[in-house]
Amino acid sequence: MRAAAIALLVALACAAPAAAETRTTIPGAPGAGPSKYDKVFVTKFGPKSAKRVLVLMPGYYGGAGDFALDARELVKRVPGS
């Protein structure tokens, strides 16, 4: 069991990302609470030359990485993305 877990961790560490990923921070509108939280994080997957764009937004309880696995898989499987 332990050997399988170590092998899985090594495989994940060695796996190259399918395409470029960039994270951008965009200033948001002022709101209640500390101003340091008035921002939005956007993670872009795939090449800048992509001909199609799909915007995925998590719901109220969703975290910032909810669609990361899906986005990486889409970039791998959709031709020209």
Side-chain angles (χ1 to χ4, degrees):
M1 176 72 178
R2 184 174 179 205
I6 291 172
L8 176 62
L9 289 173
V10 169
L12 290 173
C14 294
E21 293 180 26
T22 58
R23 184 171 172 148
T24 306
T25 304
I26 300 171
S35 61
K36 68 180 182 178
Y37 300 117
D38 296 340
K39 54 186 149 189
V40 176
F41 299 101
V42 176
T43 305
K44 299 176 186 179
F45 297 86
K48 289 184 179 184
S49 62
K51 297 181 189 235
R52 298 176 202 98
V53 176
L54 175 63
V55 178
L56 301 171
M57 294 176 53
Y60 180 75
Y61 289 108
D66 279 357
F67 297 112
L69 294 174
D70 297 325
R72 289 182 192 118
E73 196 62 32
L74 284 168
V75 169
K76 281 196 297 189
R77 291 182 184 217
V78 175
S81 64

